[in-house]
Amino acid sequence: MRNGGEIIVEYLVREKVPYVFGLCGHGNVGLLDALYDRTDAIRTISTRHEQTAGHMADAYFRVAHRPVATLTSCGPGSANLPIALACAYMDSSALLAITGNVPTSQFNRAAFQETYRHFQADFPSVIRPYVKRSWQPTRTDMLPTALRQAFATMLGGRPGPVNLDVPFNVFKGPGVGDVPEPGAWRGGSSSPSGGDPAAIRQAVDLLRGARRPLVYVGHGVTLSEAGDELTAFVRRLRIPVIFSPNGFGTLDMTDPLALGFVGRNGVFGANEAARTCDVLLALGVRFDDRSSSSWIPGYSFNIPPTRLIHVDIDPEEIGRNYPVHLGIVGDARTVLRQCAAAAEAPGPEGAGREAWLTDIAKWRAQWEAFVHPHWTSEAEPIHPQRVVGALRAVLPDDGIVLPDVGVHHNWLVQFWPARRPGTLLNSWGFGAMGFGVCGVLGAKLAAPERPCVAVCGDGGFMMRPDVLCTAVEYGIPAVWVIWNNFAYGGIRDIQLGMLAKREIATSFVREKDGRLINPDFVALARACGADGIRVERPGDLAGPLEHALRAHPPFVLDVLVDRDIRPPGVGTWELPPLPYGEPAFGRRRLPEGQ
């Protein structure tokens, strides 16, 4: 007879979960004890903070497209996890968060670290907005049902994190029955849903008949592994593509049909195409405010008169922010395969398609002429665009970049041409600083043969510098490029650009003498057992980057970046009631008659 902890571990092994990331506590030692006996099949990675474990699990799923588990203890241990769960939930990333709780015999008695003043053992209420579902089995014989339901919910439909909250005695209590075989229960969810055939035919007819058709791809296309289907379909019908950041690389972004990121800090041609297209096929995207210029007509989209075909596996996202001409609930890859089959039938191409492609080529040339000089800038501190270009030049096409949250993220999504899907991992929905800093460890464990680089601000890195200890302890050769501008630069830009042109609490400045100050990041890395180099001149970027990617120990590059150069806006962004600004390049232009 297995005890509760052994039942959980055996089920994880049968689900082929390779890792548990987490941190010990008195509430979860029962599961750690069971994990000790199965080190042959599942590896436990001990982190120095629970948020680190959550981001690692999130990034692991985004690379491997299979989930791992996290393990945290009761009270403050699990209370450190919600930021990472929210990140995963908002970006549809799956992980199993196993949280320890107090013994059931101590429920509602204010046991050490129990959350009890509203409802006994109430941690699931803490994370309710950030998981698809929580289970709290109070007897060992409830575990098999909770485990199989948790995995089915986590991976079914739109992926997302789930929670298994386990009282201490359930870990150690004797079990009844056997551990269920996952395949016997979840085989019925292995066929992703497709769209209604009549709607598919209508969508293809609309795209074929359009003068200015456009496809907009997001994370749904990446998660469904639909890159090949997308590429074949848009090339067949000659339809340009714009991207949300988590959809980068689903079409090689050096392809002539790939226009780049759309939105406030997007690419000029992508915004021009988005606001002047007549039919837009949106695949697995949410139309958030940053990619839609805060939904203000004329900056990124004009829906209507643009006719929107919105495809998403989650029906709640269809029509959330724009009225739909045609809404299709379905998995992106399945729908694209249906569209490709429908496109096999002969049909006319819309009049004016050549003129549309000519306009797009013109917009691309205008943008390239505008940004070209900065790729070779020799200015010091280093021009931000030069940092992006240097990293792109040395990183192979299958290398994985995790931009943390901050002003550097805007530069990367504006200028990074991803050539493969799942190679630029973003915290796009929740925007948690620390995602890239920690997630790079999970990405590297998921793809040990590929270089994995976190590009993170100095502020974000200092929120989770514990990652260096974990990387050294477990021999994970990740790379951190620290965008050192002595500030929470994105918020400083808002203060200087949208408010009263003054800043407070955003620069890292010593109060005594006004000197900008940061830790010696290279010394910090070496103190933890990693290595590092500081880069102050643009001509020195390539060598240290190449060295960091080849190095076996975890590596930190401390790069001094100009704090006063802002990404060139091609759309806009609004924080009501503050007024929104005009683009730095291009202009607001509505279609004729609007």
Side-chain angles (χ1 to χ4, degrees), residues 130-150:
Y130 300 134
V131 293
K132 291 182 74 175
R133 171 77 195 273
S134 283
W135 285 261
Q136 191 184 66
T138 53
R139 301 187 314 273
T140 308
D141 65 341
M142 297 169 67
L143 282 170
T145 299
L147 284 161
R148 66 173 177 79
Q149 289 181 352

Side-chain angles (χ1 to χ4, degrees), residues 473-489:
E473 184 176 353
Y474 292 94
I476 307 171
V479 176
W480 291 267
V481 175
I482 299 178
W483 194 281
N484 191 344
N485 58 10
F486 298 92
Y488 296 118

